[in-house]
Every structure is written in C-alpha cells, then in structure tokens.
Amino acid sequence: MKQLRCIILCSLAVYCTAPKAKTNAPVLEEVIVTAQKRSESMQDVPVAVSAISGDDLANTGFRDVSDLAAQVPSLIVTTNASPMTTSFRIRRIGNEGNIPTFEPATALIIDGAFRSRSGLGLGDLVDVRAVEVLKGPQGTLYGKNAGAGVISITTQAPTDEFEAMLDASTGSDDLQAIKASLNVPLGDELAARFSLSGTQRGSLVRNITGPDFDDLGGYAIRTQLRYDVTDRLSGRLIIGMLERDLHPVVGDTFSSESYRGVVQDAGALITNNDPTDRIVEHSDRSLFEQTASDVVLTLEYAGDGFSVTAVSGFEKYEADLFMRGVEQMPLSIARFDDRQAGKSFSQELRFASDSTGRFDWMTGAFYYFNQFTRGDREEPEFLLQKDIEEFGGAVAGALLGLPGPVALPVLGTEGDRGEFYVDQDTSSAGLFGQVSTSLTDSFEVMLGLRYSWEEKDGSIEQSNQTSAFGCGPTNTNLVCTLTPQGNNFDGNDTWTALTGNINLSYFPTDGTMLYGLYSSGFKAGGFSLQWGGASDEIRPFDEETINHFELGWKSEFWDRRARVNGAIFHTAYENFQNASFISLAYAVNNAEKVLVEGVEAESEWLVNSYLTLKLNAACIDAVY
C-alpha cells in the first residue's frame, strides 16, 4: 500500500478593474455553465464545477490549458518530454502521457467535441469565452475517459457586431507573442470570426557542451462561421490549425561520484553538477514538431418545448519528438525518434427539454473512432551513436571492479538500430439519458443512466539490426533490450458498462443549495503497446470501475457580494489503471483499489466595484 497524506493546495487571485457601470449595490455576476450540457446557473447545478470566465482568463494572462492549475487547486497539469505528454490530474487522479495508447483519465472537450489526447489542448488559445472544470467521475453525460473529471473549453462564437482585437507583447529571453481576433457580420443570418495566436521565445536552459534547450515556437489559426438557417435552426462551423516547432525542456540532474567516474572513463567530463542552476552538459538537444487540425460542426434546432443538438468533431495530428542526446550527458550514446500520428471522428446527438417546467430531461447517443500509429517503417526509432562502445566498456569495467574500461562493445556498436511500429484502432459508443424533477419548491432529484461499449484493436511489431557481435549470449546490447527481435503482439478486446448518477438538491434559502450525489464511472481496458520485452500475458490491462459519493453546498450572501461553494467527497477506483516504469519502458497494469477523499472550497468576494478577491483551497487524501 502506498499513501499520499492530505495534500493541501490553495490559490489566491486579486482583480482590480474599473466598474462596467455605476450601480447603487454592486453584486457578483451570475456564472452560466454547461456542465449538464445545457446553460444553467452554476449555483443551481448539483455537481462540483469550477468555472472561469473569459474576462478572468484575460486578467490572469491565460495562454493554454496548463495555466488553469493556478486557479483550480484540485487540478494539476504536468508536462515532461514534450507538449504531447501533458497530463491532467483532478483530485489527484490521472496518468502520465508518456504512453500515447494509455488514454487519459480526464476528458478534454473543446467547443463540445471530445479530444483524443490531453496534449491537443495545449497551445495558444485565443477568444476563449469560458473554461469549466468538472470534478469527479462524469460517467453519465460524458462517459468516455471522464473517470477523474472533465475540462470543457468554449470559445467565443461569431456575433452580429463588428469586433477586432490585437494583443502583442514582448519580454526577456526574446519572448514575442501575439493574439488577434476579428468578428465580421456578413448579413442578418451569417457571421464569421477569425483568430490568430503565436508565441516565440529563446532558450531558458543553457547547455555547456551543445545547443541550448527550452525555447518556444508555434502558432494557431481558428476560423468560424455561424449561420442562422431559420429562427429555429442554426449552425456553427469551426476550422482550426496548429503548428509547433520547439526544443523541449530537459532535467537538470545531479551525478554521483561513481557515475562521473564512468563518464570520465568513457572520454568525457561532467564539470557542472548543480541541479538547480538550469545549466546542463548534453551532447545534443531534442526537437519537437507538431501539426494538428480540427473541424467542429454544431447544429442546433429549437422545437416546441425541446431542442436537438448535433456535434460532429474531426481531428488529425502528427507529433514528432527527435531526442538527440537522450542519455543527458556530454556523450553521444543513443538517439530516439518518436513519431506519432492520429486521427479521430466523434459524433454526439442530444435531445433535451427546454427547462421551463418542473420536469427536465435529456437523452442522446455518442460515437467515437480513433486511429493511432507510432513509429516509422522506413526509419529506426533507436539508433546507437559514436560513444556507445566507450560508454559500455566503462560501465562494464565499473561493475566488475576493474581499474579501467573493458575493450568490448558491451552495450552495442555505433549504427546498431532498433525498430518498432504501433497501430491501434479504438471504437466507442454510448447511449445516455438523464431526468430531473422538482418534488417540492425546495427539493429536486436527478437520475441518469449510460450504456457504454468500447472496442480496441492494437498491435506492436519489434525488430533490431546489430553488428556482427549481435546481441550476444548476455543480451546486453541496448537495441536488443529495447526492441527484442520478433517480440510482437496483436490483441483485440471489447468492454461494456452501465453507469449512472443520483443527485439530490435542497434549497433552504434563495441563495443556498445543498446537494448529495452518487455516481459511477467506467474506463475501458486496453493494451500496453510499448517497446521492450513484455510478454503477451502482461500487455493487456483490465477495465476500471468507479464509485463516487459527494456532499456539497453552494451559497451566495452579503447581498450577493460573496459566493462560497464547496464539497466533501469519497471516490473508490476498482482495478485502477496505473503505469509503471519497468526496465527501459512503461507498462500499464491494474492496482486493486484507489481511494480518494477530501474537501475543497472556492470563494469569491466583491469588496467593491473595483476590487474582487478569490480564494480557493483543497485538501485531498489518496491511497492505493
């Protein structure tokens, strides 16, 4: 058993702004959210949700999803080797993004469309209207990969008025950034909106023995059209494109005396051993390149007492990480070229009541297909470099207690190559429904149910090419360990689940709501399609099931100048999917159980028309 004891996270924000209009009694603005896939006041929604408006995002210098963690203590965003390895953790639950076929535990939704990878939400976003963070499993209305929660981003739609915005900035380390948008009405029924953002920055990590690290470069373009076909039917088309070209950050590490001795025996010196000065000694640096495009089409029809919404999403991306100097030392030992590509299509169709009566309902269907590949059939993924023989001899000499290196290619020879190719197709479908009714003027009940089906077909092919020495009887050649010849895998499996929720809401006063809920969640199983010597028996991992209990409150007081919302929760994850680093590769397996308990609170205080304070905190205890 491993345990994390009561991690306390807090955030404090102070906004000083000019009042929009003079009023005798300033009040907090009503926050409208779409957590239940319909527009509602946040204070009436019986789930834990953090909502941040476009104005608040602008005040805090919001650039991409990773900046949200500064305002939502329950959210942690981490990135390591490249932007595509981004991971979202809500209430301490999440998984690292180093394994691209290991799907995230937090669903990312942008303008109503599901995104396959968390890293596709990182980038210069402009025209953001609101961001909502739904905390806890959302297994009814969202379903797919929403076991920890949901991050929903909504951008500004085209309007009937001409608008233009330009924001250019510069800073130290050759930082240059630009954000711009233009809204153009094209008639009574048609409007267009264009947005652009771009960032360039010099390196922040100095490299003594080679080129520097940790710079930024990229831009994003977004085009939108809104067409009101009739008074009842409207459509919104969004087309986006993103490009990145940067050298990712690397770890500034400490080397032990024995390790420095091995490096010296191999022909190099480590002269800087301070892990805090952002100065490294690497033979080369990594390069990350990404192109991505997406299309979202939303159709909305308003009938008599009901509405119909259809959201179609398509995304395609290529992300290449060329890791030169993967050994992170002043030696050239190996390189790793990680080429990934994916494309997906999603379709959601919803029918909902108009929420004007005491009985509300919503029902719908969801379909998703994703195709992912990793590797290149023409080029090697691993290639041993010029210093591999000297380093291998130095390691062997140190392990044997000899006074110097061994004159043998223990770890391989220059030009040895290892190759792998991963192919995975994912199909997912769901049927869902939710109803709510007011039993009395102050008491409401909500019931939801979802049926989920998911199928995965995944494979990996591995091979290597070595010198005449080959893998040898000891099999110590790096490429022999990384990509064992013929250690292939091909698997197919299907998972189904029935999940749902029960929410009870009580309104003791006009400004206060108390709620309690139970919800269940599900995350389909899959396959560990990583390089290495994993056997066929340990590559599959099982589905994950979730049971969640929560008590919460939402309140406004002080003449609507103060708002305090909070929740106490208990969540149990059975067969929790977890990644472990085994030998030289990650593998996914199932922990028996994970328990997450805690309390969180968010508050906003309107001191006067010019000054607003926000104080948020969370205390979370996680055990597995």
Side-chain angles (χ1 to χ4, degrees):
M1 176 185 293
K2 292 188 178 181
Q3 194 161 344
L4 296 174
R5 298 308 306 177
C6 201
I7 295 179
I8 301 176
L9 305 166
C10 301
S11 69
L12 172 64
V14 181
Y15 301 125
C16 299
T17 59
K20 296 180 179 180
K22 291 184 178 181
T23 59
N24 294 328
V27 298
L28 289 171
E29 293 186 6
E30 183 182 26
V31 178
I32 302 298
V33 298
T34 57
Q36 300 295 311
K37 296 194 173 181
R38 65 168 86 230
S39 296
E40 302 171 283
S41 171
M42 182 176 68
Q43 298 305 106
D44 296 332
V45 177
V47 297
V49 53
S50 297
I52 307 171
S53 67
D55 290 341
D56 288 348
L57 293 171
N59 290 336
T60 57
F62 173 86
R63 190 181 67 86
D64 59 35
V65 181
S66 62
D67 296 328
L68 293 176
Q71 299 192 57
V72 183
S74 297
L75 172 67
I76 297 176
V77 183
T78 60
T79 301
N80 46 53
S82 76
M84 289 301 292
T85 62
T86 297
S87 172
F88 301 136
R89 294 179 181 270
I90 297 181
R91 292 176 174 173
R92 307 299 297 171
I93 294 298
N95 40 263
E96 295 302 327
N98 298 71
I99 310 176
T101 54
F102 184 23
E103 296 177 316
T106 299
L108 175 63
I109 311 292
I110 300 181
D111 287 321
F114 176 82
R115 295 302 179 94
S116 61
R117 300 280 300 277
S118 301
L120 295 174
L122 284 182
D124 290 333
L125 290 174
V126 66
D127 265 358
V128 176
R129 185 175 64 84
V131 177
E132 299 175 23
V133 180
L134 283 65
K135 290 166 281 188
Q138 308 295 321
T140 300
L141 296 183
Y142 293 91
K144 175 68 176 171
N145 294 350
V150 173
I151 297 177
S152 177
I153 302 173
T154 305
T155 61
Q156 180 62 54
T159 65
D160 296 329
E161 298 181 359
F162 179 84
E163 299 176 12
M165 182 274 291
L166 175 63
D167 183 347
S169 58
T170 185
S172 59
D173 301 299
D174 299 323
L175 174 66
Q176 297 179 354
I178 184 173
K179 291 185 177 183
S181 65
L182 176 66
N183 189 93
V184 182
L186 302 175
D188 294 337
E189 297 86 17
L190 187 65
R193 194 175 189 94
F194 310 93
S195 61
L196 166 70
S197 63
T199 302
Q200 298 286 335
R201 192 198 64 209
S203 301
L204 298 183
V205 176
R206 180 171 161 244
N207 187 12
I208 296 176
T209 56
D212 296 335
F213 293 83
D214 195 15
D215 55 22
L216 289 178
Y219 69 91
I221 300 174
R222 202 166 176 83
T223 302
Q224 301 187 55
L225 287 175
R226 193 209 75 219
Y227 181 41
D228 297 327
V229 184
T230 67
D231 292 340
R232 293 176 177 264
L233 178 64
S234 64
R236 181 186 179 189
L237 176 65
I238 305 172
I239 301 175
M241 185 183 73
L242 167 72
E243 284 197 8
R244 292 195 185 100
D245 186 346
L246 56 93
H247 301 92
V249 67
V250 294
D252 190 357
T253 59
F254 174 82
S255 300
S256 67
E257 182 177 351
S258 59
Y259 181 73
R260 295 197 302 272
V262 170
V263 173
Q264 183 173 353
D265 287 343
L269 290 176
I270 296 178
T271 61
N272 181 282
N273 203 26
D274 184 350
T276 64
D277 60 1
R278 299 182 70 84
I279 299 176
V280 299
E281 293 176 279
H282 293 182
S283 62
D284 207 340
R285 64 178 174 181
S286 301
L287 171 64
F288 176 75
E289 297 177 336
Q290 179 188 357
T291 60
S293 58
D294 67 282
V295 179
V296 180
L297 174 63
T298 303
L299 299 175
E300 295 181 303
Y301 176 77
D304 295 327
F306 71 96
S307 64
V308 182
T309 303
V311 182
S312 306
F314 173 80
E315 66 179 8
K316 182 179 181 180
Y317 70 89
E318 293 183 2
D320 299 330
L321 176 61
F322 303 104
M323 296 187 69
R324 307 296 189 263
V326 65
E327 62 283 330
Q328 299 189 28
M329 65 177 77
L331 291 170
S332 295
I333 296 176
R335 83 180 197 196
F336 173 40
D337 293 347
D338 191 2
R339 302 173 179 90
Q340 303 179 20
K343 57 183 178 180
S344 64
F345 170 77
S346 64
Q347 178 65 60
E348 185 170 88
L349 180 64
R350 300 193 305 269
F351 300 85
S353 61
D354 60 8
S355 301
T356 58
R358 298 185 63 149
F359 180 80
D360 294 330
W361 55 268
M362 178 182 293
T363 186
F366 172 80
Y367 174 76
Y368 170 79
F369 175 77
N370 174 264
Q371 184 180 54
F372 172 81
T373 60
R374 187 182 193 186
D376 188 314
R377 294 193 181 276
E378 303 298 328
E379 299 292 333
E381 279 61 58
F382 297 100
L383 186 65
L384 302 189
Q385 303 290 282
K386 64 182 182 65
D387 296 325
I388 185 65
E389 293 188 45
E390 290 77 6
F391 182 71
V395 170
L399 292 176
L400 295 174
L402 302 177
V406 174
L408 290 174
V410 178
L411 298 180
T413 61
E414 181 181 1
D416 290 352
R417 52 192 282 169
E419 303 176 53
F420 67 83
Y421 189 81
V422 173
D423 191 349
Q424 176 172 281
D425 293 343
T426 302
S427 298
S428 179
L431 297 173
F432 59 90
Q434 185 167 276
V435 297
S436 62
T437 184
S438 300
L439 301 180
T440 68
D441 291 338
S442 58
F443 188 71
E444 295 181 0
V445 60
M446 177 187 297
L447 302 174
L449 198 64
R450 184 186 188 100
Y451 172 78
S452 299
W453 168 90
E454 189 157 326
E455 181 181 17
K456 292 181 180 178
D457 189 344
S459 65
I460 181 171
E461 303 170 16
Q462 299 187 89
S463 63
N464 57 66
Q465 298 179 26
T466 65
S467 65
F469 186 76
C471 293
T474 58
N475 198 39
T476 56
N477 188 307
L478 279 180
V479 298
C480 299
T481 304
L482 290 166
T483 55
Q485 186 74 35
N487 189 10
N488 303 331
F489 174 82
D490 192 345
N492 174 273
D493 208 343
T494 302
W495 301 267
T496 60
L498 194 65
T499 56
N501 65 280
I502 302 174
N503 300 55
L504 303 176
S505 305
Y506 176 61
F507 298 83
T509 65
D510 290 339
T512 304
M513 178 182 73
L514 306 177
Y515 71 88
L517 69 87
Y518 163 79
S519 65
S520 58
F522 156 80
K523 186 182 178 188
F527 309 104
S528 292
L529 301 179
Q530 288 289 98
W531 62 82
S535 64
D536 290 358
E537 290 74 24
I538 68 172
R539 286 194 180 274
F541 55 90
D542 295 330
E543 71 272 19
E544 175 182 291
T545 59
I546 311 160
N547 289 286
H548 174 70
F549 300 87
E550 183 169 306
L551 297 175
W553 70 91
K554 298 187 177 185
S555 61
E556 290 184 340
F557 52 94
W558 193 24
D559 296 327
R560 288 194 59 200
R561 293 169 58 187
R563 179 182 297 138
V564 179
N565 299 340
I568 302 171
F569 52 88
H570 169 91
T571 312
Y573 294 80
E574 302 283 347
N575 286 332
F576 178 76
Q577 297 172 2
N578 184 55
S580 303
F581 195 72
I582 301 175
S583 183
L584 296 176
Y586 280 96
V588 182
N589 49 35
N590 295 93
E592 181 179 346
K593 179 179 288 188
V594 169
L595 295 178
V596 180
E597 297 175 329
V599 58
E600 57 192 10
E602 298 185 352
S603 65
E604 185 173 4
W605 308 81
L606 182 61
V607 180
N608 53 46
S609 299
Y610 300 88
L611 181 62
T612 302
L613 302 179
K614 288 188 177 183
L615 177 61
N616 306 325
C619 178
I620 302 172
D621 186 41
V623 181
Y624 81 91

